[in-house]
């Protein structure tokens, strides 16, 4: 279904054309003075420069042309040439009644769906998820859901780090601790054990211990490098250990991502791209894309128009070793081969922008990725503590993500038991939903590229621009609808009726923006626009609710119209929070 603002724009564009002006000047936007009008068109100001005519004259002609339109209640030309627009109530209500009958509330699916790969995980195996992994997971999950809602074919990939020196460090540390394990016996020819020789807790302790030890023991680090080389070249015992590390890590990662309501279609790893590397290197050499620089194999990606320094993209180090560049390029080849995507989106820390620009240029210059495939770097800012520095634990360490989730759930639980009469089980269940909403909304309500302050007290507040406030609004609407159904012994819905109540008209206008907001959120990779929208919609509902006694209203037609309207609002709010990656309880 067409967006309301597009329907209005079509009429205004036609009016410009009817008066002999280009239709492009008829673009309509939301009013920046809602106290004066609902929408506005400023095209007469631009048209005046082209047609050498006073803008107010053009605006008056357009307004005069639209006098017979059923869409507009009021249309005024205001000096120096603004056109102020207020919709006809019947026109607005007809639009709302139409979208209320649709499962997707007037949001159209893409006519030409894209295939989109989103790379939004990036954890390393054998390490716990920490707060630094939050934004990639939360933003990527929302982008995936928004894209799918609009009908696109989306593949979400966690893209695990599993192939570097960390593997050699773990294997070497394990050998130091348990040299008797069969994985280190070169003469062993039997089947390797099914059960891993460590738990996730032990594994998460082994890596940092090995890493720290290697800093002051160069012989240990050399042994780890050798172990990495042997693993990557197929040593059976090391490969068996590597599989154990993967299985134990992935099972734990899945549990933690599940607590965030984040899921991936693919659990691909750096190692999956290794088989593509030899052929890729050979191709780059054969087509003269590479040169030797200080012994390393590189591709120059700097362009004449660059005003900043762009380093070459290194493909192989001087000792022949691969790098992240190599793996990322090989992964692009794999993705092109497996999925033929129209776009690949990388949701990563914004500090990696130069790195990805280099890799993207290399991929396009060398034709590893076709020219029409869009490569998107979606860089996110840092989650900081109240001191403005990256968020840490009280003792200065990096906080584990599960501890962060636990602390926010506990804070919500304490607030729940202080103010609500609920069983322990219900309080815990609800606090998890509210806690997740607080965490995700607290993150997503910020523009992705911006740093933000993690403030648990503000995030869990039931007032203001927070996740709990949005959930509380949904729960309030559910309660009103349930009471109405109990009183009337029906769940039948009527039609939304025209209104002159300002708070009701405002609520209608907010509800009508849904499909426009979702479309812009998709094109701009901007979940924060959905957050701002549902905050505005929740505020509009609460203003309407406080001014009108819905349940005690004696005019049954008016009451039924109100119930139909708030049912639509509830549906839109629930759809939006689903796109953000959380849901609402039945009560709070």
């Amino acid at each position: 279904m067409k967006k309301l603002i597009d329907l209005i724009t079509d009429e205004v564009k036609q009016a410009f054309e009817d008066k002999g002006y280009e239709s492009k000047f008829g673009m309509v936007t939301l009013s920046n003075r809602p106290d004066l009008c609902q929408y506005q068109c400023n095209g007469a100001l631009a048209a005046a420069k082209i047609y050498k005519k006073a803008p107010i004259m053009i605006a008056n002609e357009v307004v005069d042309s639209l006098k017979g339109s059923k869409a507009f209640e009021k249309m005024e030309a205001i000096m120096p040439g603004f056109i102020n627009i207020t919709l006809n109530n019947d026109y607005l209500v007809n639009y709302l009644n139409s979208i209320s009958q649709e499962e997707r509330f007037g949001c159209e699916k893409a006519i030409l769906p894209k295939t989109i790969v989103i790379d939004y995980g990036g954890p390393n195996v054998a390490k716990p998820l920490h707060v630094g992994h939050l934004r990639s997971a939360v933003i990527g999950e929302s982008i995936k859901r928004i894209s799918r809602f609009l009908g696109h074919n989306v593949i979400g990939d966690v893209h695990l780090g599993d192939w570097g020196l960390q593997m050699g460090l773990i294997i070497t540390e394990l050998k130091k601790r348990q040299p008797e394990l069969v994985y280190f016996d070169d003469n062993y020819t039997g089947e390797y054990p099914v059960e891993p020789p460590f738990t996730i807790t032990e594994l998460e302790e082994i890596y940092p211990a090995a890493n720290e030890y290697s800093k002051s023991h160069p012989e240990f680090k050399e042994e780890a490098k050798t172990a990495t080389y042997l693993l990557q070249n197929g040593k059976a015992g090391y490969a068996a250990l590597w599989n154990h590390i993967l299985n134990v890590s992935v099972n734990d990662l899945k549990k933690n991502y599940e607590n965030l309501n984040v899921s991936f279609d693919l659990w691909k790893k750096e190692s999956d791209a290794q088989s593509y590397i030899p052929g890729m290197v050979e191709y780059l050499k054969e087509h003269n894309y590479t040169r030797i620089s200080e012994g390393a194999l590189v591709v120059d990606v700097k362009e004449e128009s660059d005003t900043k320094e762009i380093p070459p993209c290194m493909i192989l180090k001087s000792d022949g070793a691969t790098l992240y560049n190599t793996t990322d390029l090989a992964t692009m080849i794999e993705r092109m081969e497996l999925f033929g995507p129209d776009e690949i989106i990388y949701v990563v820390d914004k500090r990696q922008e130069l790195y990805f620009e280099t890799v993207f240029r290399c991929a396009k210059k060398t034709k590893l990725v076709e020219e029409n495939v869009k490569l998107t770097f979606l860089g996110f800012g840092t989650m900081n503590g109240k001191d403005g520095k990256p968020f840490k634990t009280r003792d200065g360490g990096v906080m584990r993500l599960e501890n962060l989730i636990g602390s926010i759930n506990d804070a919500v639980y304490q607030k729940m038991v202080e103010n609500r009469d609920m069983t322990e089980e219900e309080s815990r269940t609800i606090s998890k939903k509210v806690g997740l909403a607080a965490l995700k909304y607290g993150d997503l309500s910020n523009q992705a590229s911006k740093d933000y302050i993690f403030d648990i007290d503000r995030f869990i507040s039931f007032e203001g621009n927070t996740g709990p406030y949005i959930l509380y609004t949904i729960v309030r609407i559910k309660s009103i609808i349930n009471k109405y159904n109990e009183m009337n012994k029906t769940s039948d819905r009527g039609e939304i009726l025209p209104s002159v109540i300002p708070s009701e008209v405002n609520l209608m206008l907010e509800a009508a923006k849904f499909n426009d907001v979702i479309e812009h959120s998709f094109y701009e990779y901007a979940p924060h626009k959905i957050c701002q929208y549902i905050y505005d919609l929740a505020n509009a509902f609460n203003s309407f609710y406080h001014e009108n006694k819905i349940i005690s209203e004696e005019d049954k037609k008016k009451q039924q119209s109100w119930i139909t309207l708030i049912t639509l609002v509830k549906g839109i709010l629930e759809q939006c929070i689903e796109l953000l990656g959380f849901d609402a309880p039945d009560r709070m």
Side-chain angles (χ1 to χ4, degrees):
M1 186 172 178
K2 248 191 170 179
K3 302 190 295 290
L4 180 60
I5 198 165
D6 287 348
L7 294 171
I8 303 166
T9 295
D10 287 347
E11 294 224 20
V12 179
K13 278 185 171 182
Q14 188 60 54
F16 268 89
E17 204 170 287
D18 290 345
K19 291 298 179 180
Y21 307 110
E22 285 187 75
S23 63
K24 68 179 182 180
F25 295 113
M27 289 300 298
V28 173
T29 61
L30 289 171
S31 172
N32 55 20
R33 286 289 306 275
D35 54 319
L36 298 178
C37 58
Q38 297 165 354
Y39 296 89
Q40 65 187 62
C41 173
N42 304 335
L45 299 169
K49 296 174 184 177
I50 306 296
Y51 295 95
K52 311 299 182 187
K53 201 169 186 179
I56 192 65
M57 293 177 66
I58 297 174
N60 275 316
E61 288 179 54
V62 171
V63 167
D64 185 63
S65 178
L66 287 165
K67 277 183 177 173
S69 172
K70 294 179 180 179
F72 309 117
E73 182 74 30
K74 187 178 178 183
M75 204 164 209
E76 291 180 298
I78 304 293
M79 288 292 289
F82 301 116
I83 299 174
N84 289 355
I85 303 167
T86 299
L87 291 184
N88 178 286
N89 261 335
D90 287 339
Y91 185 83
L92 174 59
V93 161
N94 286 339
Y95 185 81
L96 286 175
N97 280 319
S98 295
I99 68 171
S100 69
Q101 300 300 315
E102 295 192 1
E103 184 183 356
R104 301 162 55 78
F105 310 115
C107 213
E108 292 183 344
K109 284 194 171 187
I111 297 171
L112 297 171
K114 294 180 180 179
T115 295
I116 303 170
V117 174
I118 306 182
D119 186 323
Y120 68 103
N124 288 316
V125 300
K127 297 183 187 177
L129 289 178
H130 56 75
V131 292
H133 293 108
L134 175 69
R135 300 212 72 191
S136 178
V138 167
I139 295 167
E141 181 70 16
S142 184
I143 297 293
K144 180 185 78 176
R145 290 173 181 231
I146 295 166
S147 304
R148 278 193 181 151
F149 182 70
L150 289 175
H152 299 287
N153 173 35
V154 188
I155 302 114
D157 184 7
V158 69
H159 196 63
L160 297 169
D162 73 324
W163 204 236
L165 180 60
Q166 74 199 64
M167 293 295 108
L169 286 167
I170 293 168
I171 291 168
T172 306
E173 177 68 15
L174 200 61
K175 185 176 183 179
K176 180 162 72 95
R177 296 183 184 192
Q178 301 182 65
E180 74 284 356
L181 291 175
V182 294
Y183 308 97
F184 307 118
D185 181 356
D186 291 337
N187 297 316
Y188 184 77
T189 57
E191 293 287 327
Y192 289 104
V194 174
E195 291 299 314
F198 40 68
T199 64
I200 185 61
T201 304
E202 291 166 339
L203 185 58
E204 288 174 354
E205 181 272 327
I206 288 171
Y207 173 70
N211 191 43
E212 191 60 33
Y213 188 77
S214 71
K215 292 175 183 176
S216 55
H217 294 78
E219 74 287 351
F220 180 87
K221 190 166 188 176
E222 284 304 312
E223 189 179 347
K225 286 181 178 179
T226 301
T228 304
Y229 174 82
L230 292 171
L231 166 66
Q232 294 179 355
N233 284 272
K235 185 175 173 68
Y238 290 3
L241 272 177
W242 171 70
N243 276 311
H244 285 316
I245 294 167
L246 274 180
N247 292 334
V248 170
S249 293
V250 168
N251 287 336
D252 186 66
L253 287 169
K254 284 183 176 178
K255 179 187 71 178
N256 280 284
Y257 278 123
E258 191 176 314
N259 289 335
L260 269 180
N261 200 17
V262 168
S263 63
F264 301 94
D265 305 289
L266 300 174
W267 284 78
K268 285 283 188 179
K269 312 172 293 297
E270 277 185 89
S271 56
D272 290 323
Q274 298 306 305
S275 61
Y276 293 86
I277 290 176
M280 179 185 79
V281 171
E282 191 60 35
Y283 163 82
L284 295 175
K285 288 178 178 178
E286 278 182 10
H287 290 79
N288 298 316
Y289 288 121
T290 59
R291 67 178 176 87
I292 301 297
S293 173
E294 297 179 10
L297 188 71
V298 304
V299 174
D300 288 316
V301 295
K302 184 173 172 60
E303 298 169 359
E304 288 185 12
S305 57
D306 287 330
T307 56
K308 62 181 179 181
E309 188 59 37
I310 303 292
C313 183
M314 191 182 295
I315 306 299
L316 295 176
K317 292 182 183 178
S318 56
D319 62 359
T322 59
L323 309 87
Y324 283 123
N325 305 30
T326 328
T327 303
D328 279 328
L329 288 167
T331 299
M332 287 181 189
I333 295 173
E334 181 187 34
R335 287 169 174 165
M336 293 301 298
E337 186 178 290
L338 295 179
F339 310 112
D342 301 289
E343 182 174 14
I344 307 174
I345 303 171
Y346 293 82
V347 187
V348 286
D349 191 309
K350 68 180 180 182
R351 290 169 292 190
Q352 296 189 46
E353 183 172 11
L354 179 59
Y355 165 78
F356 275 96
E357 183 174 0
T358 303
V359 172
F360 289 175
R361 286 189 182 193
C362 182
K364 288 298 180 74
K365 177 179 180 177
T366 61
K367 299 181 174 58
L368 295 176
V369 171
E370 294 171 18
E371 191 55 43
N372 62 344
V373 176
K374 188 176 180 183
L375 299 175
T376 301
F377 172 78
L378 182 54
F380 55 80
T382 308
M383 184 179 87
N384 295 325
K386 291 183 182 180
D387 60 359
K389 297 176 182 177
F391 194 80
K392 301 281 186 181
T393 58
R394 287 182 181 176
D395 60 5
V398 178
M399 181 177 279
R400 291 177 67 139
L401 192 52
E402 63 181 310
N403 293 340
L404 180 72
I405 296 170
S407 66
I408 207 164
N409 288 349
D410 288 342
V412 172
Y413 171 77
Q414 291 302 322
K415 183 173 278 200
M416 299 278 294
V417 295
E418 287 170 11
N419 301 295
R420 303 286 185 276
D421 180 23
M422 292 182 183
T423 64
E424 167 79 10
E425 183 181 1
E426 186 179 19
S427 294
R428 287 291 180 190
T429 301
I430 292 174
S431 68
K432 280 187 177 181
K433 287 195 172 189
V434 178
L436 185 63
L439 185 63
K440 284 194 159 187
Y441 190 92
D443 188 294
L444 292 170
S445 57
N446 301 277
Q447 187 174 339
S449 61
K450 304 291 185 186
D451 298 346
Y452 74 93
I453 301 296
F454 181 83
D455 184 343
I456 193 168
D457 295 326
R458 183 173 68 84
F459 285 6
I460 67 171
S461 174
F462 282 49
E463 297 174 355
N465 190 7
T466 69
Y469 171 69
I470 303 299
L471 296 193
Y472 191 72
T473 300
I474 294 171
V475 169
R476 172 176 275 169
I477 299 173
K478 285 182 179 181
S479 175
I480 295 167
I481 294 170
N482 289 338
K483 283 180 185 174
Y484 174 83
N485 290 342
E486 287 171 11
M487 288 169 55
N488 293 276
K489 308 298 182 189
T490 181
S491 59
D492 290 343
R493 297 285 173 262
E495 286 198 329
I496 301 168
L497 301 176
S499 174
V500 293
I501 301 170
S503 62
E504 184 177 4
V505 174
N506 186 46
L507 181 58
M508 290 178 180
L509 287 167
E510 288 297 334
K513 294 176 187 175
F514 170 72
N515 48 14
D516 188 42
V517 170
I518 301 304
E519 191 172 288
H520 277 89
S521 298
F522 167 73
Y523 284 116
E524 297 173 33
Y525 313 101
H528 73 277
K529 288 185 177 291
I530 296 179
C531 293
Q532 184 58 52
Y533 171 63
I534 58 177
Y535 179 55
D536 292 341
L537 183 58
N539 281 340
F541 165 77
N542 284 310
S543 295
F544 168 71
Y545 167 77
H546 288 302
E547 291 178 14
N548 301 280
K549 306 303 178 187
I550 300 172
I551 293 301
S552 58
E553 173 59 48
E554 293 182 359
D555 183 331
K556 293 303 177 186
K557 283 191 175 181
K558 183 187 285 188
Q559 185 187 49
Q560 191 177 51
S561 169
W562 286 350
I563 291 294
T564 304
L565 174 59
I566 68 171
T567 299
L568 171 62
V569 170
K570 177 180 81 75
I572 289 172
L573 286 171
E574 288 176 326
Q575 180 60 71
C576 285
I577 65 172
E578 198 278 329
L579 297 179
L580 296 174
F582 55 91
D583 61 358
D586 290 325
R587 73 182 192 120
M588 284 171 68

